Amino acid sequence: MKNEELLKVIERAAETGAEELDLSNKGLTELSPAIGILFRLKYLILHGNKLTSLPPEIGQLLQLELIDLSNNELSWLPKEFSNLIHLEALELGDNKFALCPPQIGELTDLRILSLGVSGRPAHSTSGNQLSDLPAELSKLKNLVELDLMKNRLVKLPAVVCQMRSLQTLYLDRNNLNELPAEIANLSNLTALYLRSNHLNALPRELSTLTKLRALTLSDNPLPIPPEIIIRTNEPQVIITYYLQHVRGQKKALNEAKVLVVGQSAVGKTSLVKGLVKGEFDRHENKTEGINIEPWLLPVGGEQVKLNVWDFGGQEIMHATHQFFLTKRSLYLLVIDARQDEDENRLEYWLKIIQSFGGDSPVVIVGNKIDQQPLDLDRRGLMAKYRNIRGFAETSCFDGRGLEELRVIIKGEVGKLEHIHDQLLATWFTVKTRLEEMREDYIPYSEYVRLCGEESIDDGLSQRTLIGFLHDLGVVLNFQDDPRFEDTNVLNPEWVTGGVYRILNSFELFQTKGVLDRPMLEQILDPRRYPKDKHLFIMDMMRKFELCFDFEGARDERFLIPDLLSKEEPFTGEWGGSLVFQYHYNVLPSSIISRFIVRTHPFIHQNTLWRTGVVLAYEKNRALVKADLEDKKVFIRVGGPEHTRRALLAVIRSNFDSIHKTIPGLVADEKVPLPERTSVVVDYRHLLTLEELGEASFIPEGMSERVNVKRLLDGVEPENSRREQRWRQRAEEPPVETLAASSPARAEVKDAAALAALSKVKEQLDSNSGRYAKRILLFCFCAWCVAWLALAGLIYRLGWDVMEPWTYLIGTGVPILTYLYFAFTQQEVSPAAIYQHIVERRRRQLYRSNGFDAEEYERLARPSS
């Protein structure tokens, strides 16, 4: 933006009495002194420019409450800056400050101070260059959030420990090698971020911060297993484990997972048996579920226990793989040497592993080389997938290559991080006892008793240990889910065996995924899955988003989308509809089936198939279908134009939630052009163009310009996009998902989640009201029948023949009905009885549809 243009913008803002001025990403190298005439300005956004200094006139903006100067080239601030005594938020991240300007200490109303990395990952560079903070900052008695990310701090500045009002402290990516005991002074601290420092010890005083709700410590040389460190929203778990670890006896874990994956019938089970037991069965049955084989292997002079997980390769089972494909693992990707890469779906599996297992190492095993040698572009694959560590060629039939594969496995296991982590000796004993138990499930109380025998008496340590063992895959535990109270510690093979037996049921293939509860008696082995555990297995499937209940048939009739017909039915005409797409790096079939489960309350006229569904909301309909081969999801929304975006927002919100559960998944949002739907534009690119002030652009494959705002408005209202940009500015870089954030930012971050939940709540509340009205209509009809019966008797027998008590029939039925409802609902007023019926039905619908009412209340509370 040129200086003349800037002056016009300032003059226009002065004329209108503007309270907000957004000059972000305008390429400004200097700020005009004319800025001083905007006396009413409260919010000034200047991030993403090239400012090296500010004019003294900035000190005339006495009404300023927020100024964002992040991602510029500032190294100092004018002394007049101290005049801004009403400033509440100051963003100075990503500049060139080697010294913190001391006049900031005069801004006594300041609540948020950012001197670290900008909250916009696209612009984040190097933070500042601070190695200390001036003592003047101790005057900031109202400061609740301080961001010092990516500076040059070797120790925590003493002045920070004097900021007793501080609630959120960002110290990621510094050079801290210790924390002072004085950190205990920060008694109001709720979030402490310490990623990527050099901490090898924690002060005991950290445990006195009882209000702490978020603590991040990843990428520090601390003796804490990653499964504990990632519990960022449970800081007391991390701190308690560390303190117990320091003073307790320890034992090396020496354990890792080897996950064997690949297509069906490539020989995975035969390979595992050949490696572990030296056995081969020509008639080996296909794996229906997951088999877990323990394998003791000498690695680096120590015995390491490998838990070898052999996964069934049938496509129907891929939906549940996501719950077991984890880090701290070595992957063996087994392919059939007789088939080409496409038939083996080699790259599909490599991308699945990247999505769920991160950078875990992969060894590609070409099996059945006794029939044909392996032919692969090894160099090309290793260049494309950096986590491939090697290739092996094997034949389980004659044993060729098995010893060479063992050598490769030993070498890769020896390189795995954390396999030699030191675990508390008592924890190790409990782990061993659980591994040796013969029961498929035990109640949590039995687990507590077992812990007590090993002197693990406090509840926090018991919960931490079971969570750790859940992450390791030793047991499954869902301690926060009341559905699993009676069987809270589970054998993973028992759970997956039951789920896979249902998914592979011939009866269910015949019924196209419709499961009636009595069918479970024929599908499940009664010796291992007694009748009283059938609903438990279905609860697990609901938890894994593999099925949903038919409306009005809770716990009696279920639909499993992965078993629906593959054929797409006729869904109607969709010309002129709002169009949106997702393009994936890999598209697991579980994404569309989980979407169907999540949105089943909106399904229109039972129109759904294995890879698609039609939804309805208010007067709009939406077609959502996946093309698994092209790795795309297509969305079309028809109906009144002014309400289409509301339904699209619900759809996008559900997809976003699913995508977040798969960290390595790449899902690009695309907007097809209305006039030429074959030309698609990246939605994020459109948002960037809008933020940069670009009104139009020429898409690839076209020669004419396209209006940016028009395309964006078709997907999302402008005010929603503005909120999204503010949310991106407020959020920290997405290294880990955090449960806590500053009060100033929480409301903006939760707005989208609240909007999505509100849509579902409105639908369920409406259903509750209709249900109560049907009850009343039924009662009214019953009363009418009673009166008609009385009239018939009078007509037939005559007044003088009937006994006097028979005259009470017409009035007695309504009275008895009223007394019944008054007794069962514990209410006297008819209006209260009606509301009680509505509320009861609402709770039932919330439970059956997985609606998180507590989360909704939490999100809605700030605005109420």
Side-chain angles (χ1 to χ4, degrees):
M1 179 181 284
K2 296 180 180 178
N3 196 46
E4 297 80 12
E5 295 175 299
L6 176 59
L7 285 172
K8 289 180 181 179
V9 170
I10 293 174
E11 288 171 1
R12 192 159 51 247
E15 291 171 2
T16 59
E19 294 185 349
E20 178 180 340
L21 181 60
D22 188 345
L23 295 171
S24 57
N25 299 302
K26 302 299 184 187
L28 298 175
T29 56
E30 62 178 351
L31 185 62
S32 171
I35 196 73
I37 67 173
L38 302 179
F39 302 113
R40 295 184 181 181
L41 208 59
K42 291 184 178 180
Y43 310 103
L44 178 58
I45 315 301
L46 290 162
H47 78 80
N49 286 292
K50 299 178 182 179
L51 300 174
T52 57
S53 63
L54 295 176
E57 288 77 7
I58 199 83
Q60 298 174 21
L61 307 181
L62 301 181
Q63 301 301 315
L64 267 187
E65 295 177 11
L66 177 149
I67 181 168
D68 184 350
L69 291 161
S70 57
N71 198 228
N72 278 283
E73 299 177 9
L74 299 170
S75 57
W76 62 279
L77 296 176
K79 63 180 186 300
E80 291 81 4
F81 210 85
S82 59
N83 297 340
L84 309 179
I85 57 174
H86 297 301
L87 205 63
E88 294 186 7
L90 174 59
E91 298 266 359
L92 292 172
D94 289 338
N95 277 285
K96 296 183 178 180
F97 288 99
L99 296 173
C100 178
Q103 64 266 42
I104 291 175
E106 303 300 324
L107 309 177
T108 53
D109 279 355
L110 205 62
R111 298 181 70 246
I112 298 174
L113 174 59
S114 173
L115 292 161
V117 175
S118 164
R120 293 157 298 281
H123 298 298
S124 297
T125 53
S126 58
N128 282 294
Q129 303 167 27
L130 303 176
S131 57
D132 202 355
L133 294 178
E136 288 85 350
L137 295 193
S138 62
K139 299 176 185 178
L140 303 179
K141 302 298 183 185
N142 297 311
L143 199 68
V144 296
E145 179 177 320
L146 177 60
D147 180 355
L148 294 167
M149 285 197 292
K150 206 166 185 182
N151 277 282
R152 298 181 179 180
L153 301 175
V154 176
K155 62 180 181 178
L156 187 64
V159 68
V160 173
C161 296
Q162 300 174 30
M163 299 175 177
R164 297 178 184 273
S165 60
L166 211 55
Q167 296 177 18
T168 304
L169 178 57
Y170 297 92
L171 292 165
D172 299 336
R173 290 179 278 177
N174 278 281
N175 299 311
L176 298 173
N177 49 43
E178 64 175 349
L179 292 177
E182 290 76 15
I183 199 167
N185 295 336
L186 304 180
S187 56
N188 290 306
L189 206 62
T190 61
L192 177 59
Y193 304 117
L194 291 159
R195 302 183 199 92
S196 304
N197 280 283
H198 304 306
L199 299 172
N200 54 27
L202 298 175
R204 186 177 301 273
E205 291 76 9
L206 210 56
S207 61
T208 65
L209 302 179
T210 56
K211 294 183 180 180
L212 207 59
R213 296 292 177 269
L215 175 64
T216 65
L217 289 164
S218 55
D219 296 323
N220 280 286
L222 288 162
I224 305 176
E227 291 83 359
I228 302 292
I229 275 200
I230 62 171
R231 302 174 76 155
T232 56
N233 60 343
E234 298 177 281
Q236 295 308 319
V237 166
I238 301 172
I239 296 167
T240 301
Y241 176 86
Y242 172 77
L243 295 177
Q244 289 180 352
H245 183 275
V246 168
R247 61 175 181 263
Q249 291 185 332
K250 293 167 278 291
K251 185 174 181 178
L253 181 60
N254 288 347
E255 188 167 319
K257 274 185 188 177
V258 174
L259 303 176
V260 185
V261 298
Q263 291 296 102
S264 180
V266 295
K268 297 187 295 296
T269 301
S270 295
L271 181 70
V272 170
K273 287 188 175 181
L275 285 170
V276 178
K277 301 177 180 178
E279 299 175 356
F280 174 70
D281 181 357
R282 182 187 292 272
H283 305 291
E284 188 71 58
N285 293 325
K286 71 177 182 179
T287 302
E288 293 187 358
I290 299 175
N291 291 329
I292 305 176
E293 286 282 352
W295 184 19
L296 290 176
L297 200 64
V299 177
E302 296 185 67
Q303 284 285 96
V304 172
K305 179 185 177 184
L306 300 180
N307 295 309
V308 184
W309 292 52
D310 172 17
F311 287 85
Q314 295 87 341
E315 185 172 357
I316 191 69
M317 301 184 187
H318 296 182
T320 55
H321 284 7
Q322 60 186 297
F323 304 104
F324 305 101
L325 301 184
T326 60
K327 299 180 181 179
R328 195 198 276 264
S329 306
L330 170 66
Y331 286 82
L332 299 185
L333 173 50
V334 185
I335 61 175
D336 189 333
R338 302 170 301 173
Q339 299 176 341
D340 61 24
E341 295 181 19
D342 290 336
E343 290 174 305
N344 280 298
R345 299 190 73 185
L346 180 60
E347 296 211 40
Y348 165 83
W349 281 108
L350 287 169
K351 288 173 180 172
I352 285 284
I353 293 169
Q354 277 187 338
S355 297
F356 293 111
D359 296 326
S360 296
V362 179
V363 175
I364 296 178
V365 182
N367 198 25
K368 303 183 182 182
I369 60 167
D370 56 291
Q371 300 177 46
Q372 183 171 317
L374 181 65
D375 183 21
L376 287 177
D377 178 12
R378 306 187 186 198
R379 190 186 302 275
L381 285 169
M382 292 187 76
K384 189 173 181 179
Y385 300 97
R386 300 290 184 177
N387 54 340
I388 295 177
R389 297 292 188 269
F391 297 82
E393 300 180 40
T394 62
S395 167
C396 298
F397 176 73
D398 58 21
R400 262 188 290 169
L402 291 180
E403 187 55 41
E404 289 81 356
L405 179 56
R406 287 190 190 98
V407 172
I408 293 174
I409 291 172
K410 283 184 185 181
E412 292 304 322
V413 168
K415 297 174 187 175
L416 286 176
E417 296 181 356
H418 305 295
I419 63 166
H420 302 301
D421 280 353
Q422 295 292 309
L423 197 64
L424 287 166
T426 53
W427 284 32
F428 200 96
T429 304
V430 171
K431 169 181 168 296
T432 303
R433 292 182 63 177
L434 287 174
E435 287 173 325
E436 294 173 350
M437 74 176 186
R438 294 185 177 181
E439 296 86 354
D440 289 320
Y441 46 83
I442 60 173
Y444 193 77
S445 57
E446 177 65 16
Y447 162 75
V448 170
R449 185 192 63 77
L450 192 153
C451 287
E453 292 177 1
E454 302 301 331
S455 301
I456 305 175
D457 299 315
D458 65 290
L460 181 61
S461 294
Q462 292 166 357
R463 291 194 301 274
T464 305
L465 172 56
I466 199 69
F468 176 68
L469 297 178
H470 174 92
D471 292 337
L472 276 182
V474 174
V475 295
L476 291 180
N477 170 252
F478 306 100
Q479 54 189 291
D480 297 326
D481 197 322
R483 292 176 294 183
F484 310 129
E485 287 176 343
D486 296 332
T487 49
N488 219 318
V489 181
L490 310 155
N491 176 354
E493 286 184 281
W494 180 79
V495 174
T496 56
V499 171
Y500 284 136
R501 195 167 292 274
I502 292 171
L503 293 177
N504 284 285
S505 162
F506 179 71
E507 293 92 332
L508 282 182
F509 276 106
Q510 289 182 313
T511 62
K512 304 298 183 184
V514 177
L515 171 63
D516 289 305
R517 185 172 170 181
M519 295 170 64
L520 293 171
E521 297 180 33
Q522 283 75 47
I523 296 172
L524 298 175
D525 183 348
R527 293 167 298 179
R528 199 172 187 198
Y529 301 96
K531 190 173 180 179
D532 63 339
K533 292 293 177 278
H534 289 178
L535 275 183
F536 172 83
I537 295 295
M538 297 311 300
D539 279 332
M540 291 298 299
M541 292 186 67
R542 278 188 287 230
K543 187 175 185 69
F544 289 168
E545 296 180 324
L546 294 171
C547 71
F548 62 85
D549 301 77
F550 279 87
E551 187 174 357
R554 172 73 178 175
D555 291 340
E556 294 300 327
R557 203 169 205 220
F558 311 88
L559 183 67
I560 302 172
D562 267 310
L563 295 174
L564 287 166
S565 170
K566 287 184 177 181
E567 184 174 357
E568 178 182 345
F570 176 71
T571 60
E573 300 296 333
W574 296 93
S577 56
L578 168 59
V579 188
F580 197 77
Q581 297 177 11
Y582 286 100
H583 294 195
Y584 296 84
N585 61 331
V586 60
L587 180 53
S589 61
S590 60
I591 286 181
I592 190 66
S593 60
R594 288 174 66 190
F595 176 80
I596 293 172
V597 170
R598 284 178 177 234
T599 58
H600 75 268
F602 300 104
I603 294 177
H604 177 65
Q605 296 181 351
N606 201 33
T607 310
L608 69 165
W609 63 103
R610 192 175 300 182
T611 57
V613 63
V614 175
L615 307 177
Y617 179 70
E618 295 181 345
K619 296 181 179 179
N620 294 102
R621 290 190 313 133
L623 170 65
V624 182
K625 64 179 183 178
D627 186 325
L628 300 180
E629 288 302 318
D630 280 353
K631 297 173 287 188
K632 296 175 182 177
V633 167
F634 300 93
I635 302 166
R636 289 182 173 272
V637 184
E641 288 191 26
H642 65 283
T643 56
R644 289 178 182 176
R645 294 179 301 190
L647 180 51
L648 180 60
V650 173
I651 294 169
R652 291 178 63 206
S653 175
N654 279 282
F655 272 116
D656 288 346
S657 298
I658 294 169
H659 296 158
K660 287 175 183 175
T661 65
I662 311 174
L665 188 74
V666 177
D668 294 325
E669 297 177 301
K670 302 289 184 178
V671 182
L673 299 184
E675 299 81 8
R676 288 180 59 183
T677 54
S678 60
V679 178
V680 295
V681 182
D682 187 82
Y683 182 66
R684 298 293 154 189
H685 180 59
L686 288 174
L687 290 174
T688 301
L689 290 174
E690 182 182 53
E691 190 174 1
L692 294 173
E694 297 291 339
S696 62
F697 76 111
I698 301 176
E700 185 177 355
M702 292 186 65
S703 56
E704 61 269 19
R705 303 188 74 83
V706 172
N707 187 283
V708 172
K709 186 176 185 301
R710 177 169 168 251
L711 281 179
L712 288 172
D713 285 347
V715 175
E716 193 173 18
E718 187 174 4
N719 60 338
S720 297
R721 300 198 299 273
R722 191 182 301 116
E723 287 179 7
Q724 183 186 56
R725 281 197 292 272
W726 277 101
R727 187 165 62 251
Q728 288 177 343
R729 293 171 190 172
E731 289 176 347
E732 57 278 2
V735 180
E736 296 172 26
T737 301
L738 306 171
S741 62
S742 72
R745 294 178 175 179
E747 185 175 350
V748 177
K749 290 175 70 176
D750 291 340
L754 175 59
L757 283 174
S758 296
K759 300 292 185 185
V760 178
K761 184 178 186 299
E762 288 172 12
Q763 181 84 3
L764 299 181
D765 289 349
S766 176
N767 289 344
S768 305
R770 287 197 294 269
Y771 171 82
K773 289 174 183 176
R774 287 197 298 269
I775 292 287
L776 294 181
L777 181 61
F778 173 79
C779 293
F780 178 75
C781 292
W783 297 342
C784 290
V785 169
W787 279 102
L788 288 172
L790 177 62
L793 285 170
I794 292 172
Y795 175 78
R796 192 173 181 82
L797 301 177
W799 288 95
D800 54 339
V801 176
M802 293 180 62
E803 295 290 335
W805 64 266
T806 58
Y807 298 145
L808 299 176
I809 292 175
T811 55
V813 171
I815 292 172
L816 288 174
T817 305
Y818 171 76
L819 291 175
Y820 168 78
F821 279 111
F823 176 75
T824 57
Q825 306 301 323
Q826 299 294 305
E827 295 287 353
V828 177
S829 164
I833 291 174
Y834 173 76
Q835 289 301 327
H836 205 277
I837 295 172
V838 171
E839 184 59 31
R840 184 177 179 183
R841 181 59 176 171
R842 182 184 289 124
R843 288 197 297 269
Q844 290 173 344
L845 286 175
Y846 285 175
R847 284 196 300 271
S848 64
N849 289 279
F851 176 73
D852 194 338
E854 291 184 3
E855 177 68 0
Y856 173 81
E857 292 296 334
R858 182 188 75 78
L859 294 173
R861 198 174 297 123
S863 59
S864 62

Coordinates of all heavy atoms in Angstrom, one line a residue, residues 634-665:
F634 N -17.3 -35.3 -2.3 CA -18.0 -34.3 -3.0 C -19.3 -34.0 -2.2 O -20.0 -34.8 -1.7 CB -18.5 -34.9 -4.4 CG -17.3 -35.3 -5.3 CD1 -16.9 -36.6 -5.3 CD2 -16.7 -34.3 -6.1 CE1 -15.8 -36.9 -6.1 CE2 -15.6 -34.7 -6.9 CZ -15.2 -36.0 -6.9
I635 N -19.5 -32.7 -2.1 CA -20.7 -32.2 -1.3 C -21.5 -31.2 -2.2 O -20.9 -30.3 -2.9 CB -20.2 -31.4 -0.1 CG1 -19.3 -32.3 0.8 CG2 -21.4 -30.8 0.7 CD1 -18.5 -31.5 1.9
R636 N -22.8 -31.5 -2.3 CA -23.7 -30.6 -3.0 C -24.9 -30.2 -2.0 O -25.4 -31.1 -1.4 CB -24.3 -31.2 -4.2 CG -23.3 -31.4 -5.4 CD -23.9 -32.0 -6.6 NE -23.0 -32.0 -7.7 CZ -22.9 -31.0 -8.6 NH1 -23.6 -29.9 -8.5 NH2 -22.0 -31.1 -9.6
V637 N -25.2 -28.9 -1.9 CA -26.3 -28.5 -1.1 C -27.3 -27.8 -1.9 O -27.0 -26.8 -2.6 CB -25.7 -27.6 0.1 CG1 -26.9 -27.2 1.0 CG2 -24.6 -28.2 0.8
G638 N -28.5 -28.2 -1.9 CA -29.6 -27.6 -2.6 C -30.7 -27.0 -1.7 O -30.7 -27.4 -0.5
G639 N -31.5 -26.1 -2.2 CA -32.5 -25.5 -1.4 C -32.4 -24.0 -1.4 O -31.6 -23.4 -2.2
P640 N -33.1 -23.3 -0.5 CA -33.0 -21.8 -0.5 C -31.6 -21.4 -0.3 O -30.9 -21.8 0.6 CB -33.9 -21.5 0.7 CG -34.8 -22.6 0.9 CD -34.1 -23.8 0.5
E641 N -31.2 -20.4 -1.2 CA -29.8 -20.0 -1.2 C -29.4 -19.4 0.2 O -28.2 -19.6 0.6 CB -29.5 -19.0 -2.3 CG -29.5 -19.6 -3.7 CD -29.0 -18.7 -4.7 OE1 -28.2 -17.8 -4.4 OE2 -29.4 -18.8 -5.9
H642 N -30.3 -18.7 0.8 CA -29.9 -18.0 2.1 C -29.7 -18.9 3.2 O -29.1 -18.5 4.3 CB -30.9 -16.9 2.4 CG -32.3 -17.5 2.8 ND1 -33.1 -17.9 1.8 CD2 -32.9 -17.6 4.0 CE1 -34.2 -18.4 2.4 NE2 -34.1 -18.2 3.7
T643 N -30.1 -20.2 3.1 CA -29.9 -21.1 4.3 C -28.9 -22.3 3.9 O -28.7 -23.1 4.7 CB -31.2 -21.7 4.7 OG1 -31.9 -22.3 3.6 CG2 -32.1 -20.6 5.3
R644 N -28.4 -22.3 2.7 CA -27.6 -23.4 2.3 C -26.3 -23.5 3.1 O -25.8 -24.6 3.5 CB -27.1 -23.3 0.8 CG -28.2 -23.5 -0.2 CD -27.7 -23.3 -1.6 NE -28.7 -23.5 -2.6 CZ -28.5 -23.3 -3.9 NH1 -27.3 -22.8 -4.3 NH2 -29.5 -23.4 -4.8
R645 N -25.7 -22.3 3.4 CA -24.4 -22.3 4.1 C -24.5 -22.9 5.5 O -23.6 -23.4 6.0 CB -23.9 -20.9 4.1 CG -23.5 -20.3 2.7 CD -23.0 -18.9 2.8 NE -24.0 -18.0 3.3 CZ -23.9 -16.7 3.3 NH1 -22.8 -16.1 2.7 NH2 -24.8 -15.9 3.8
A646 N -25.7 -22.8 6.1 CA -25.9 -23.4 7.5 C -25.7 -24.9 7.4 O -25.0 -25.4 8.3 CB -27.3 -23.0 8.0
L647 N -26.3 -25.5 6.4 CA -26.1 -27.0 6.3 C -24.7 -27.3 6.0 O -24.1 -28.3 6.5 CB -27.1 -27.5 5.3 CG -27.1 -29.1 5.1 CD1 -27.2 -29.8 6.4 CD2 -28.2 -29.5 4.1
L648 N -24.1 -26.6 5.1 CA -22.7 -26.8 4.7 C -21.8 -26.6 5.9 O -20.8 -27.4 6.1 CB -22.3 -25.9 3.6 CG -20.8 -26.0 3.1 CD1 -20.5 -27.4 2.6 CD2 -20.4 -25.0 2.1
A649 N -22.1 -25.7 6.8 CA -21.3 -25.5 8.0 C -21.4 -26.7 8.9 O -20.4 -27.1 9.5 CB -21.8 -24.2 8.8
V650 N -22.5 -27.3 9.0 CA -22.7 -28.5 9.9 C -21.8 -29.7 9.3 O -21.1 -30.4 10.0 CB -24.2 -29.0 9.9 CG1 -24.3 -30.3 10.6 CG2 -25.0 -27.9 10.7
I651 N -21.9 -29.8 7.9 CA -21.1 -30.8 7.2 C -19.6 -30.6 7.4 O -18.9 -31.6 7.8 CB -21.5 -30.9 5.7 CG1 -23.0 -31.3 5.6 CG2 -20.6 -31.8 5.0 CD1 -23.5 -31.1 4.2
R652 N -19.2 -29.4 7.2 CA -17.7 -29.1 7.3 C -17.3 -29.3 8.8 O -16.2 -29.8 9.0 CB -17.4 -27.7 6.9 CG -17.6 -27.5 5.4 CD -17.3 -26.0 5.0 NE -16.0 -25.6 5.3 CZ -15.6 -24.4 5.6 NH1 -16.5 -23.4 5.6 NH2 -14.4 -24.1 5.8
S653 N -18.1 -28.9 9.7 CA -17.7 -29.1 11.1 C -17.5 -30.5 11.5 O -16.6 -30.9 12.2 CB -18.8 -28.5 12.0 OG -18.5 -28.7 13.4
N654 N -18.4 -31.4 11.0 CA -18.3 -32.8 11.3 C -17.0 -33.4 10.6 O -16.3 -34.2 11.2 CB -19.5 -33.6 10.9 CG -20.6 -33.5 11.9 OD1 -20.6 -34.2 12.9 ND2 -21.6 -32.6 11.6
F655 N -16.8 -33.0 9.4 CA -15.6 -33.5 8.7 C -14.3 -33.0 9.4 O -13.3 -33.7 9.6 CB -15.5 -33.1 7.2 CG -16.2 -34.1 6.3 CD1 -17.4 -33.7 5.6 CD2 -15.7 -35.3 6.1 CE1 -18.0 -34.6 4.8 CE2 -16.4 -36.2 5.3 CZ -17.5 -35.9 4.6
D656 N -14.3 -31.7 9.8 CA -13.2 -31.2 10.5 C -12.9 -32.0 11.8 O -11.7 -32.2 12.1 CB -13.4 -29.7 10.9 CG -13.3 -28.8 9.6 OD1 -12.9 -29.3 8.6 OD2 -13.8 -27.7 9.7
S657 N -13.9 -32.3 12.5 CA -13.7 -33.1 13.8 C -13.1 -34.5 13.5 O -12.2 -34.9 14.2 CB -15.1 -33.3 14.5 OG -15.6 -32.0 14.9
I658 N -13.6 -35.1 12.4 CA -13.0 -36.4 12.0 C -11.5 -36.3 11.6 O -10.7 -37.0 12.0 CB -13.8 -37.1 10.9 CG1 -15.2 -37.4 11.4 CG2 -13.2 -38.3 10.4 CD1 -16.2 -37.8 10.4
H659 N -11.3 -35.2 10.8 CA -9.9 -35.0 10.3 C -8.9 -34.8 11.5 O -7.8 -35.3 11.4 CB -9.8 -33.8 9.4 CG -10.6 -34.0 8.1 ND1 -11.1 -33.0 7.4 CD2 -11.1 -35.1 7.5 CE1 -11.7 -33.4 6.3 NE2 -11.8 -34.7 6.4
K660 N -9.4 -34.2 12.5 CA -8.5 -33.9 13.7 C -8.1 -35.1 14.4 O -7.1 -35.1 15.1 CB -9.1 -32.9 14.6 CG -9.2 -31.5 14.1 CD -10.0 -30.6 15.0 CE -10.1 -29.2 14.4 NZ -10.9 -28.3 15.3
T661 N -8.8 -36.2 14.3 CA -8.5 -37.5 14.9 C -7.4 -38.2 14.2 O -6.9 -39.3 14.6 CB -9.7 -38.4 15.1 OG1 -10.2 -38.8 13.8 CG2 -10.8 -37.6 15.9
I662 N -7.0 -37.8 13.0 CA -6.0 -38.4 12.1 C -4.9 -37.4 11.9 O -4.9 -36.7 10.9 CB -6.6 -38.9 10.8 CG1 -7.9 -39.8 11.1 CG2 -5.6 -39.8 10.1 CD1 -8.6 -40.2 9.9
P663 N -3.9 -37.3 12.7 CA -3.0 -36.1 12.7 C -2.2 -36.0 11.4 O -2.0 -34.9 10.9 CB -2.0 -36.5 13.8 CG -2.7 -37.4 14.7 CD -3.6 -38.2 13.9
G664 N -1.9 -37.1 10.7 CA -1.1 -37.0 9.5 C -1.9 -36.9 8.2 O -1.4 -36.8 7.1
L665 N -3.3 -36.8 8.4 CA -4.1 -36.7 7.2 C -4.1 -35.3 6.5 O -4.1 -34.3 7.2 CB -5.6 -37.0 7.6 CG -6.6 -37.2 6.5 CD1 -6.3 -38.5 5.7 CD2 -8.0 -37.1 7.0

